[in-house]
Amino acid sequence: MKVSIIGSGYVGSVTAACFAELGHEVICIDIDEERVRQLNDGYPPVWEEGLEDLMNKHVGKRLIATSDYDYAVQNSDISFICVGTPSSENGEIDLSIVAAASKSLGESIASKNAYHTVVVKSTVVPGTTEGVVRSILEDYSGHKAGDTLGLAMNPEFLREGRAVHDFLNPDKIVVGSLDRRSDSLVSGLYRDIDCEVTSVNIRTAEMIKYVNNAFLATKISFANEVGNICKRLGIDTYQVMDAVGRDFRINPAFLNSGAGFGGSCFPKDVRALIGSAKDLDYYPSLLESVIEVNELQPLQMVEILEDKLPEIKNKRIAVLGLAFKNDTDDIRESRSIPVIRKLLEKGADIHAYDPLASDNMNKIFPEITYASSAQEALEGAQACLLMTEWDEFRKLNTEFDSMDRKLLIDGRYLLNPEELDDVEYEGLCW
């Protein structure tokens, strides 16, 4: 099948490369000419395990990039909108990029006589696809949705760092469509993947995405709330959650206590669901608590540090881990950000290290020192805050010997204090 992808960021580039891997002919559309050149050279704009290999495998064969909407639409049957939907502090998502993409698509579809399907893969609140996107497409194309214009919503459930694997090995595929033809076409794109397609209406598909992420975020905040209580009772919360997770009704995933969740999805999606609920005159107290717990959680790292090291000013503090999770360079909503900000307010001399995310964090905090290794960051430090679950951090031991004071505050339950040599270890929730 011939597919065009609008937006070549995280979701767009992964979707394009994986559809090409499934045998489809894919055209990426991006208004950034430099990014178009980069994609045509086989370089993805984001780091994802296996993504560059797929790009190099298919670029120039099944995968090309262009800034020309007319060319892409005329040479494809289905167009996916995969652009960003950033949110404000009150949870409202910014649909300006979605609206602009819809307008450009509509203008290009106007000169096309054949049936064309537009699929929203961007995360949008229920009602957006049938409201904002549909009206813009119809206005600018002259085609009627459900007649000569197909309309669908196909949410993504990708984990950053595992996105390529998740796309090709999904546990669910959801297609919300306006008409049967759109449903059949979009579902057909996944015919070579061994996974049942759940077909629903468009608003339900939009809601499934938000509820999926909000529930996972709720599990994390619940685990952190329990962990904070366990910490004060002298109980290992990981032993508690290990037993609780064995209950088939609960499942052990996302029950690890720690510094909280971040990234481009969970915080934004929970806030957007909160905002939507309030627009409907409903106060979502549980979801508000999920965000509140998550905002306070990383700051407890600093509280523990101050309890152990009362005077932080001018003290060298090592921060290991800057990405919001391991195996990505994404720092959006990283729990390291509020920690670093608070340490800077208190006058700390911060030396940070991350295998992939230092350059990105440097754009936010150019005033701190970025080390080229964990060993370099630890050298001469009075304390170390462990913030991200990188595998290389699990092997740390003798590296702590270079610290002036071997004080380690573990925000991710990465290290076993019994296996460390003379390290003053303190866990966030354990």
Side-chain angles (χ1 to χ4, degrees):
M1 205 172 293
K2 296 181 178 180
V3 182
S4 53
I5 308 289
I6 295 86
S8 55
Y10 167 69
V11 174
S13 58
V14 171
T15 299
C18 289
F19 273 150
E21 178 70 5
L22 292 172
H24 304 297
E25 295 178 33
V26 183
I27 303 173
C28 291
I29 309 173
D30 204 291
I31 59 174
D32 185 338
E33 292 288 354
E34 175 58 28
R35 180 168 287 187
V36 169
R37 184 198 63 76
Q38 183 182 6
L39 290 167
N40 283 326
D41 287 341
Y43 298 105
V46 296
W47 189 92
E48 270 294 329
E49 186 175 352
L51 181 57
E52 188 170 347
D53 291 339
L54 286 187
M55 284 279 188
N56 286 321
K57 180 179 178 181
H58 298 298
V59 161
K61 300 165 188 172
R62 293 186 189 141
L63 176 62
I64 62 170
T66 181
S67 59
D68 188 339
Y69 269 85
D70 289 340
Y71 172 81
V73 169
Q74 293 298 326
N75 289 280
S76 62
D77 308 303
I78 304 177
S79 295
F80 280 78
I81 297 177
C82 300
V83 298
T85 53
S87 66
S88 62
E89 283 300 318
N90 64 5
E92 292 182 3
I93 64 171
D94 181 358
L95 294 173
S96 60
I97 311 175
V98 170
S102 300
K103 177 177 179 290
S104 297
L105 273 176
E107 291 171 339
S108 296
I109 293 170
S111 60
K112 187 172 184 177
N113 295 322
Y115 181 89
H116 194 90
T117 299
V118 175
V119 186
V120 176
K121 195 173 265 293
S122 301
T123 301
V124 293
V125 295
T128 301
T129 302
E130 290 179 283
V132 176
V133 175
R134 178 179 181 172
S135 62
I136 294 174
L137 286 172
E138 291 182 336
D139 286 347
Y140 285 91
S141 71
H143 291 261
K144 183 174 175 56
D147 183 12
T148 54
L149 175 66
L151 187 65
M153 206 283 163
N154 176 215
E156 52 84 15
F157 303 96
L158 308 176
R159 297 170 295 170
E160 288 199 42
R162 298 287 185 271
V164 171
H165 174 272
D166 289 351
F167 191 102
L168 298 173
N169 302 273
D171 51 17
K172 60 178 171 290
I173 298 170
V174 175
V175 176
S177 58
L178 189 66
D179 58 287
R180 290 184 179 179
R181 188 172 180 182
S182 294
D183 178 69
S184 177
L185 285 169
V186 179
S187 297
L189 291 168
Y190 298 97
R191 63 183 178 273
D192 291 331
I193 293 179
D194 184 20
C195 181
E196 180 183 353
V197 175
T198 300
S199 295
V200 294
N201 63 42
I202 290 176
R203 289 167 67 90
T204 300
E206 291 167 330
M207 190 63 171
I208 287 170
K209 167 67 175 183
Y210 276 103
V211 173
N212 192 93
N213 282 353
F215 182 68
L216 294 177
T218 300
K219 288 186 75 174
I220 294 170
S221 281
F222 175 78
N224 285 338
E225 188 91 299
V226 170
N228 295 337
I229 297 169
C230 285
K231 171 82 172 179
R232 287 154 177 77
L233 290 171
I235 296 170
D236 187 338
T237 186
Y238 273 72
Q239 289 184 357
V240 173
M241 288 307 187
D242 178 64
V244 169
R246 293 173 190 269
D247 188 321
F248 75 93
R249 299 167 299 177
I250 297 175
N251 187 288
F254 291 86
L255 289 180
N256 292 336
S257 299
F261 57 81
S264 63
C265 294
F266 285 8
K268 176 175 75 74
D269 292 353
V270 175
R271 291 190 185 106
L273 194 53
I274 290 171
S276 293
K278 289 180 177 178
D279 287 343
L280 298 169
D281 199 29
Y282 176 78
Y283 183 78
S285 55
L286 175 60
L287 296 178
E288 288 276 22
S289 295
V290 169
I291 292 295
E292 182 182 5
V293 169
N294 196 59
E295 292 299 310
L296 294 174
Q297 196 67 12
L299 298 180
Q300 294 194 61
M301 298 280 289
V302 180
E303 291 177 11
I304 294 172
L305 174 63
E306 287 188 299
D307 184 56
K308 301 288 183 179
L309 189 67
E311 183 53 59
I312 295 177
K313 188 174 183 179
N314 297 324
K315 295 292 195 305
R316 179 165 173 168
I317 308 297
V319 176
L320 299 186
L322 302 173
F324 87 92
K325 61 178 284 189
N326 57 310
D327 297 328
T328 182
D329 61 354
D330 194 345
I331 62 167
R332 285 175 289 182
E333 298 277 356
S334 167
R335 298 297 81 194
S336 296
I337 293 174
V339 167
I340 291 173
R341 185 172 290 122
K342 182 62 70 174
L343 289 174
L344 286 174
E345 287 175 6
K346 295 179 178 294
D349 174 23
I350 302 171
H351 289 245
Y353 168 71
D354 188 281
L356 289 176
S358 292
D359 287 346
N360 289 336
M361 193 63 84
N362 186 46
K363 296 172 185 176
I364 299 177
F365 298 114
E367 65 269 45
I368 71 175
T369 301
Y370 294 92
S372 59
S373 66
Q375 174 75 65
E376 183 183 329
L378 291 167
E379 220 168 288
Q382 293 284 326
C384 170
L385 305 186
L386 204 49
M387 299 299 302
T388 311
E389 298 168 286
W390 287 101
D391 283 342
E392 69 175 82
F393 295 162
R394 299 179 191 277
K395 304 168 187 174
L396 295 174
N397 192 344
T398 57
E399 289 82 357
F400 295 116
D401 292 340
S402 64
M403 298 175 68
D404 278 3
R405 178 180 173 183
K406 294 163 69 173
L407 170 60
L408 170 63
I409 301 170
D410 188 349
R412 297 296 180 186
Y413 203 75
L414 277 179
L415 297 172
N416 184 346
E418 295 179 1
E419 297 175 357
L420 299 174
D421 301 328
D422 301 320
V423 172
E424 190 179 348
Y425 177 96
E426 190 72 34
L428 175 56
C429 299
W430 49 90

